[in-house]
Amino acid sequence: MAAASRAIAAADYYVYQPNSDVLDADRSLAMYVAAAQSAIADGYSGLRAVVDATPVARSRAQRETLAELEFLVDQQMAVLPFAVLCAYDVTQLGSAADELICLHPFVGSGAVDFQVYADAEPGIDFVIVGEVDASNGDVFATALRRLWPLTTSDTLHIDVEALRFIGQRQLVTLDQTAVQHSTAVVLHTRERFPRRLVELLDLTAVRVEPTTSEEGLR
Amino acid sequence: MRAGASAEHVGHFHEAGFYASDDDFRALIVPFVEEGLDAGEPVIIGYDDRKSDLLRNWLQSCAHVTFITEADLYATPARAIANYRRLFQRHVTAGAHQIRIAGDVPHEGNGGRFDGWDRYESAVNTVWDDFPVRSVCLYDATTTSSEVRDVVERTHPRLLSATGERRTNDRYEDPSCFVGLAVSIDPIEASTPVVDIADVTASQARHAVRRVSNDRLDANTLSDLVLGTSEVVTNALTHGREPTWMRIWADADRVVVHVHDSGPGPTDRHVGLMPVKRRAPNGGLGLWVTHQLDLDVDLMAASDGFTVRLRAKKGSPTP
């Protein structure tokens, strides 16, 4: 079937909480999933969406639920032929945009130093890539705080094979977040430095296991 | 109840002695070990193979003596402190009333390098005070330099004569006031640095270290140098004063990094040698992590600011 496209108002792209400019993540996601399934039923190979998310990212309350939606969409993109390109106007949002841009598996070059996102790999809850240090430690902590409640496992498996660096304070933040949620964390990587840091810091919730060769070939 | 001269002491009972022959060494070490064994106290020996073999021959039984010959025990001062603390904790948990240790701090006279061990000899007067430890540091007077001997005499509250007589050391300096040896200049520092970055960020520093070190260091040493550099730059930006800079010198298999800020540096003379609480408001964990790595770490305070020097060599031992 030939490709088809449709433009809708940004306001109609999301479902909002009653009498609020804060979106409803679960209902927004349900709308996207229904649209993707409808497109497939109509004979399309999938659904692609492009959205300027700036209007729903201005306030802290908006970013809380938008972050939730970003993660939930990542999870659905892993199982449905569904892709979204989100745009953020950094001239309007400033550094607050980093809180949301870092939640995308693919970003513009140099947009952020690290990314955290859900992944299709079986047995992996999410992926962290890039470099995390004191300069983006607050953004990292915010991302963990927002994403953690969306996970359901007692033991979170995080693929950090492409994490080039994490500072000791940020690794402690990861450990403390896990402890707060009574969760264990397994970091999957062949890199040496995460294991070195975990051992030195005597972390209680985080351990490191080597990435299997199959995971490493992804 | 602690046996011997430390019976009434709380914390670390730290003493030193000098010997000039194997017979002198025997006269000092054997009574120390046997008194502990008779009292059922754990005894930990950290000597090289030759001295450990001598001691085994001199003792009637060494079944309850732990000989640690791994080179890593004294790989770095901070690692020695941490390794011993783990051993102390294990013995205290098992019910020990006192733990006896004796070992060789590296210095040029026994084939090692004394760089950094002056801070160790001073720091252990306080950093092990939460354990009932009795240690005796025995130095070979025939191979110990006057510089090292001076440090030994300023860092041990008690001294033993060659015949084992104990006296209070009036040259002892409280660890909070101890002034260590000047850090030796590395000859490579006389050359032009291959990297010189003002107002450096941790990200820039990691990138520069990777670029310079990729062909010079093995993967493990490079990983440690990237981690250590990032932590000390973060410290400089968090706790130091502007301006800051980083310089890197390198030859075929060695990389030397200086990270400088214009502040006075930490007031704690033992910073980096002991872990601090993970959420400590004034930091310190980063420097401790750095001291645990396979790097030579030197802290250099001067009138123009504070510099941390990290030196890495290809093939450094890994734990």
Side-chain angles (χ1 to χ4, degrees):
Chain A
M1 177 172 272
S5 65
R6 184 160 68 98
I8 60 174
D12 297 331
Y13 183 80
Y14 299 105
V15 180
Y16 294 85
Q17 297 178 13
N19 304 313
S20 168
D21 61 357
V22 175
L23 60 83
D24 182 319
D26 289 332
R27 290 171 59 211
S28 295
L29 179 72
M31 182 172 74
Y32 306 151
V33 171
Q37 289 170 337
S38 172
I40 294 164
D42 290 344
Y44 294 100
S45 57
L47 176 69
R48 294 183 179 208
V50 181
V51 62
D52 180 358
T54 308
V56 290
R58 297 189 198 284
S59 71
R60 180 177 295 274
Q62 286 180 310
R63 292 194 293 275
E64 293 287 337
T65 54
L66 183 53
E68 185 180 342
L69 178 61
E70 295 285 13
F71 190 74
L72 295 174
V73 165
D74 275 348
Q75 289 177 322
Q76 288 303 318
M77 282 169 48
V79 293
L80 280 176
F82 172 45
V84 184
L85 176 61
C86 301
Y88 291 92
D89 187 340
V90 295
T91 64
Q92 294 186 42
L93 298 176
S95 59
D98 292 350
E99 297 173 18
L100 299 157
I101 297 171
C102 76
L103 303 178
H104 294 76
F106 304 101
V107 297
S109 175
V112 284
D113 291 328
F114 76 91
Q115 296 146 257
V116 186
Y117 52 87
D119 190 70
E121 183 69 26
I124 294 294
D125 292 281
F126 55 86
V127 181
I128 307 176
V129 306
E131 304 209 4
V132 187
D133 63 18
S135 68
N136 53 25
D138 289 345
V139 176
F140 181 67
T142 299
L144 295 182
R145 179 179 60 74
R146 287 171 174 166
L147 300 190
W148 218 277
L150 305 176
T151 62
T152 54
S153 173
D154 292 338
T155 301
L156 287 191
H157 293 265
I158 305 177
D159 180 346
V160 293
E161 183 69 26
L163 179 66
R164 290 199 80 199
F165 183 81
I166 184 166
Q168 49 87 12
R169 286 229 167 237
Q170 293 68 50
L171 196 56
V172 169
T173 297
L174 178 66
D175 186 68
Q176 289 175 332
T177 306
V179 169
Q180 284 164 10
H181 290 85
S182 302
T183 315
V185 169
V186 181
L187 300 179
H188 293 265
T189 181
R190 286 172 294 192
E191 291 290 329
R192 173 178 184 253
F193 76 89
R195 179 176 294 102
R196 188 93 152 116
L197 266 181
V198 166
E199 289 170 356
L200 288 175
L201 296 170
D202 199 20
L203 299 182
T204 53
V206 176
R207 69 177 195 272
V208 179
E209 289 184 2
T211 310
T212 64
S213 56
E214 193 173 306
E215 286 170 335
L217 290 174
R218 281 187 300 120
Chain B
M1 177 75 179
R2 301 171 66 161
S6 50
E8 304 298 323
H9 191 81
V10 175
H12 180 202
F13 190 91
H14 188 205
E15 54 192 358
F18 294 93
Y19 60 89
S21 66
D22 284 350
D23 287 343
D24 285 356
F25 176 58
R26 177 178 185 168
L28 289 169
I29 191 64
V30 170
F32 174 82
V33 174
E34 288 185 336
E35 185 180 67
L37 294 178
D38 289 346
E41 296 175 349
V43 179
I44 303 166
I45 299 296
Y47 288 132
D48 61 17
D49 289 342
R50 192 187 86 83
K51 279 192 197 161
S52 293
D53 287 343
L54 283 175
L55 186 54
R56 285 189 184 95
N57 289 332
W58 293 334
L59 293 172
Q60 289 186 340
S61 167
C62 45
H64 298 290
V65 179
T66 304
F67 288 90
I68 302 176
T69 53
E70 293 93 353
D72 185 53
L73 178 64
Y74 285 101
T76 72
R79 287 234 288 269
I81 288 171
N83 289 339
Y84 272 125
R85 283 187 67 85
R86 280 190 284 274
L87 287 169
F88 299 158
Q89 185 60 59
R90 195 184 309 155
H91 284 297
V92 167
T93 302
H97 296 294
Q98 179 162 260
I99 305 130
R100 293 178 180 236
I101 66 168
D104 257 345
V105 164
H107 61 97
E108 285 68 11
N110 60 18
R113 285 193 303 119
F114 197 59
D115 282 354
W117 291 96
D118 51 341
R119 291 178 72 221
Y120 167 93
E121 284 285 34
S122 176
V124 295
N125 288 298
T126 59
V127 299
W128 290 341
D129 257 346
D130 47 342
F131 293 105
V133 179
R134 181 166 167 189
S135 70
V136 60
C137 305
L138 301 178
Y139 285 80
D140 184 340
T142 65
T143 61
T144 301
S145 69
S146 57
E147 196 175 43
V148 172
R149 184 168 187 133
D150 174 63
V151 167
V152 173
E153 291 178 351
R154 291 192 290 123
T155 53
H156 291 77
R158 299 158 204 86
L159 292 178
L160 297 171
S161 72
T163 53
E165 289 149 348
R166 179 175 297 102
R167 67 175 171 85
T168 302
N169 177 12
D170 56 12
R171 289 200 64 213
Y172 173 66
E173 295 176 4
D174 187 272
S176 62
C177 308
F178 174 74
V179 178
L181 299 173
V183 172
S184 56
I185 305 282
D186 191 305
I188 201 172
E189 292 160 353
S191 62
T192 303
V194 294
V195 170
D196 188 344
I197 307 176
D199 302 323
V200 66
T201 67
S203 176
Q204 288 173 325
R206 292 193 299 271
H207 178 75
V209 167
R210 287 187 191 115
R211 182 167 53 79
V212 170
S213 307
N214 255 340
D215 298 330
R216 293 180 164 96
L217 302 178
D218 56 283
N220 288 346
T221 308
L222 168 57
S223 169
D224 275 9
L225 187 59
V226 169
L227 177 55
T229 302
S230 189
E231 292 298 337
V232 296
V233 169
T234 299
N235 267 0
L237 297 176
T238 307
H239 306 294
R241 215 177 274 163
E242 293 179 339
T244 58
W245 49 254
M246 180 185 77
R247 291 179 187 145
I248 304 178
W249 292 262
D251 60 21
D253 61 355
R254 231 162 54 88
V255 178
V256 176
V257 177
H258 282 202
V259 176
H260 176 89
D261 75 78
S262 302
T267 53
D268 179 2
R269 292 175 187 275
H270 303 141
V271 66
L273 295 180
M274 271 286 285
V276 295
K277 290 180 179 169
R278 291 178 191 161
R279 284 287 182 190
N282 296 321
L285 192 56
L287 265 182
W288 181 78
V289 165
T290 305
H291 277 76
Q292 297 293 314
L293 304 172
D294 284 324
L295 306 171
D296 276 346
V297 184
D298 295 300
L299 311 182
M300 305 185 289
S303 57
D304 66 340
F306 177 68
T307 303
V308 179
R309 178 173 70 181
L310 305 177
R311 291 186 290 178
K313 185 171 170 49
K314 189 174 191 174
S316 294
T318 54

